[in-house]
Amino acid sequence: MATELTAARYGKTKVRVFRIVREGSWHNIVEYNVEALVEGDIATSYTEADNSVVVATDSIKNITYCLSLHISSIAERFALHLGTFLVSKYAHLSKAFVTVEQLRWTRIHVAGEASPEGHPHSFYRDGDDKRVVNAVVDATGGKDKLVATVTSGVADLLVLKSTGSGFTNFYRDEYTTLVEVDDRIFSTSVDLTYTFAPLRIAAPTDEKKLEFVMPLQKGEGGYAGSVWDEEVPGRARAATLETFAVDESASVQATLYKMGQRIIAENASVTSVSYSLPNKHYVPVDMKYIGVDNLTPSKAEVFTPIAAPSGLIKATISRT
Ligand SMILES: O=c1[nH]c(=O)c2[nH]c(=O)[nH]c2[nH]1
């Protein structure tokens, strides 16, 4: 029997990092869940039990912690830093795939407090949605010609509107039982990713590569391609929420497209936007048994949330 190793990638996942950035008594915090996987000349570790080519996943975890000392609040920057480090430090590793999931921590505001920016060291979790960054750092064209592809976005942003949504004029045939409605609940858990133009990254020159800090901020130079814009995550989240709220939704599909159009329009560095939107159905309860009309869409007040099945609407909108 002939076999061949056709793909191989390994690394550490679920590396949990919490970092305090101390500016005297003023603290900034970030919490990341990190995955860092690598590809390269590692085939013999699978095919010949040759561990000499394996940078242990434990070491990859340790590197993640070390680079955490350089964390800024910009998850993209951290992901690129880690990916660049891995392919620069190890000659035989040619690609790094880094995913950073950032959890929400928002500063608490205390009534009468001195600082309008909030409490110096106290925070709360103000939502279960996460910022998610995927960075691929590719050294296959040479260690001095690193190319990075970055997609960022939001996961698990749960939204609901109680009207301003309908679904009519859909295709009908012998399988159609769905009734047209001009008023319904629209709820979804937004998964959004947006892609930046590929970046060229200056190879680290620092001998001690741990001290190498990514030259990724505006004006620092060292990379070509799109201009890095730290405001994109906030704008993309706001565009998603606001479009969802104000759109007189003809369908999940139509609202999704408007959200994507707005993100592309507002963010020059974004080349494409993808959404994955489950249509979380809420079914009006038939309350005829107590003489209440709860089935007329615009009058319905009592619903059963249906966990499964749900619709699932996906699309990518690209700049042309
Ligand atoms: O917005 C919607 N899009 C659909 O494709 C669909 N299909 C369905 O049954 N309900 C809905 N709603």
Side-chain angles (χ1 to χ4, degrees), residues 166-167 178 184 249-253 279 281 311 313:
F167 190 60
L178 188 68
R184 66 174 182 173
S249 175
S251 65
V252 178
Q253 287 89 331
N279 189 4
H281 304 302
I313 317 295

Side-chain angles (χ1 to χ4, degrees), residues 4-318:
E4 190 187 5
L5 185 73
T6 47
R9 188 183 294 181
Y10 80 100
K12 208 69 154 183
T13 191
K14 298 183 183 167
V15 183
R16 299 198 55 176
V17 183
F18 184 86
R19 168 86 204 285
I20 303 173
V21 180
R22 298 171 192 271
E23 294 167 12
S25 61
W26 183 261
H27 290 183
N28 291 303
I29 60 168
V30 280
E31 183 165 349
Y32 288 158
N33 296 325
V34 182
E35 177 175 285
L37 307 180
V38 290
E39 287 182 2
D41 292 330
I42 55 174
T44 53
S45 66
Y46 294 82
T47 57
E48 295 169 31
D50 169 19
N51 287 345
S52 68
V53 296
V54 178
V55 176
T57 69
D58 190 63
S59 311
I60 294 173
K61 174 207 68 185
N62 291 341
I63 291 166
T64 305
Y65 290 139
C66 291
L67 295 196
S68 300
L69 287 171
H70 298 296
I71 279 179
S72 70
S73 59
I74 307 167
E76 286 84 353
R77 190 181 160 100
F78 179 70
L80 284 169
H81 191 183
L82 180 53
T84 301
F85 181 94
L86 290 168
V87 299
S88 302
K89 167 99 175 146
Y90 302 106
H92 69 297
L93 299 182
S94 52
K95 269 192 184 184
F97 302 80
V98 180
T99 301
V100 176
E101 189 181 77
Q102 181 172 8
L103 307 181
R104 291 182 72 83
W105 285 116
T106 299
R107 214 172 276 283
I108 294 174
H109 284 261
V110 178
E113 194 178 44
S115 166
E117 288 177 64
H119 196 269
H121 60 248
S122 299
F123 306 83
Y124 69 109
R125 173 75 33 91
D126 71 338
D128 289 332
D129 58 303
K130 296 131 195 130
R131 261 186 75 183
V132 182
V133 171
N134 279 290
V136 180
V137 181
D138 185 349
T140 49
K143 296 286 182 181
D144 56 345
K145 293 194 185 66
L146 304 183
V147 177
T149 318
V150 180
T151 64
S152 309
V154 179
D156 303 331
L157 179 60
L158 186 59
V159 291
L160 181 148
K161 60 196 290 178
S162 52
T163 187
S165 164
F167 190 60
T168 58
N169 299 322
F170 45 87
Y171 191 95
R172 301 202 79 89
D173 63 12
E174 65 273 30
Y175 297 110
T176 310
T177 58
L178 188 68
V179 176
E180 298 196 354
V181 283
D182 57 5
D183 192 323
R184 66 174 182 173
I185 289 175
F186 177 7
S187 177
T188 186
S189 176
V190 177
D191 273 357
L192 154 68
T193 60
Y194 40 87
T195 304
F196 298 99
L199 305 167
R200 262 194 306 283
I201 296 182
T205 49
D206 196 315
E207 287 300 299
K208 291 184 275 170
K209 297 214 171 64
L210 276 180
E211 290 171 19
F212 160 67
V213 178
M214 288 291 299
L216 276 172
Q217 252 157 3
K218 265 189 225 170
E220 284 181 30
Y223 67 96
S226 60
V227 174
W228 200 263
D229 184 347
E230 298 161 30
E231 306 302 321
V232 174
R235 277 202 299 264
R237 190 171 185 270
T240 300
L241 292 175
E242 288 175 18
T243 307
F244 176 80
V246 302
D247 187 35
E248 280 300 318
S249 175
S251 65
V252 178
Q253 287 89 331
T255 303
L256 181 160
Y257 191 69
K258 289 181 189 171
M259 291 172 173
Q261 275 184 311
R262 181 163 152 190
I263 292 178
I264 299 255
E266 289 180 353
N267 299 282
S269 55
V270 171
T271 56
S272 70
V273 178
S274 297
Y275 279 98
S276 175
L277 302 180
N279 189 4
K280 298 169 88 67
H281 304 302
Y282 284 70
V283 178
V285 176
D286 185 348
M287 302 184 85
K288 278 200 289 289
Y289 58 93
I290 52 164
V292 170
D293 173 12
N294 193 60
L295 295 183
T296 303
S298 59
K299 290 187 185 162
E301 293 189 355
V302 179
F303 297 80
T304 307
I306 304 291
S310 85
L312 183 60
I313 317 295
K314 299 184 179 202
T316 299
I317 299 103
S318 301

